[in-house]
Amino acid sequence: MTGFTFTCTGVRADPYAAGPTLVFRLRITASPGTRVHALALRCQIRIEPARRGYGDAEAEALADLFGERSRWGSSLHPVQFAHVPVMVQGFTGETETDLVVPCTYDMDIASSRYFHALEEGEVPLLMLFSGTAFTGAGGFQVEPVPWDREATVRMPVKTWQEMVEQHFPGSGWIRLPRDAMDALLAYRSRQALPSWQATVEHLLHTAGERTP
């Protein structure tokens, strides 16, 4: 069976994508002398939160995910980030390719809340690979990519922040069910409020959470 190793050499935000998108640069190495005609990969990316430290403000923002800091010894479990396919062109020995990962700023998603809570430093990620390799010098052989292939990467928090700022400058994003949106719209109309920001601020003020 052909041996494969995977290394992530970097990650960047795609400035030309229609939506928030990260691009991971992968280096793939096959057994010496093996001709790889194509590689159909599946990549699962997980956040490994136990592999970094957190400031007090970050810990407070992460409480809804992991509970109080005193519980983190048992609650700081990995968080699923993405599961994406990639088709790699033929190569012999070693090649590099881009792994494109569409992202969301939906705060109902655990990974988005995690990224949003971080102020600085790096995000520890684990990339798990599987898939099918088409190999052979004079013909095709079909063989699986072993399930234990993986790579680690520490993505700068700044990379995520720059990507979000590009698509949601100075703002956030909340997804609401239709009935809640209809109720908010009716409230905004009754109060003659000029914007959604004014609507939320009015509700917070009414609840005693914020001074207008």
Side-chain angles (χ1 to χ4, degrees):
M1 182 180 292
T2 302
F4 291 97
T5 58
F6 299 88
T7 305
C8 180
T9 61
V11 55
R12 70 182 193 278
D14 186 346
Y16 305 109
T21 303
L22 292 173
V23 181
F24 294 81
R25 189 65 176 172
L26 293 181
R27 179 182 298 133
I28 306 169
T29 305
S31 300
T34 300
R35 173 61 178 163
V36 180
H37 299 286
L39 195 57
L41 284 178
R42 295 181 298 274
C43 179
Q44 178 187 164
I45 306 177
R46 295 191 320 207
I47 301 167
E48 301 280 294
R51 294 187 178 181
R52 61 157 286 166
Y54 301 90
D56 290 340
E58 292 175 330
E60 183 178 353
L62 289 169
D64 65 327
L65 287 179
F66 305 120
E68 298 300 321
R69 194 192 285 269
S70 60
R71 296 178 48 209
W72 284 8
S74 59
S75 66
L76 218 59
H77 300 303
V79 176
Q80 179 74 16
F81 173 36
H83 201 157
V84 292
V86 59
M87 196 72 187
V88 183
Q89 296 182 352
F91 66 96
T92 299
E94 186 175 277
T95 190
E96 291 196 0
T97 190
D98 286 337
L99 179 70
V100 179
V101 179
C103 302
T104 178
Y105 197 35
D106 184 348
M107 288 301 166
D108 283 341
I109 306 300
S111 58
S112 296
R113 296 206 305 276
Y114 178 86
F115 291 131
H116 181 75
L118 303 185
E119 297 179 345
E120 57 185 4
E122 297 175 323
V123 181
L125 300 174
L126 179 64
M127 310 178 79
L128 303 168
F129 297 94
S130 61
T132 304
F134 301 89
T135 63
F140 281 99
Q141 294 179 333
V142 180
E143 50 185 308
V145 176
W147 283 90
D148 62 351
R149 302 296 89 182
E150 60 184 43
T152 58
V153 56
R154 301 190 70 87
M155 181 182 75
V157 172
K158 185 178 179 180
T159 301
W160 174 269
Q161 293 171 342
E162 290 176 348
M163 178 193 71
V164 170
E165 184 64 20
Q166 175 187 341
H167 293 277
F168 304 99
S171 61
W173 190 90
I174 298 176
R175 179 169 57 89
L176 294 173
R178 186 181 300 275
D179 55 349
M181 178 61 74
D182 290 344
L184 271 178
L185 184 59
Y187 180 86
R188 175 178 170 177
S189 297
R190 289 195 303 271
Q191 302 296 328
L193 297 166
S195 66
W196 287 116
Q197 178 179 346
T199 302
V200 173
E201 288 178 344
H202 192 275
L203 284 168
L204 289 172
H205 174 62
T206 302
E209 297 290 336
R210 183 172 179 176
T211 301

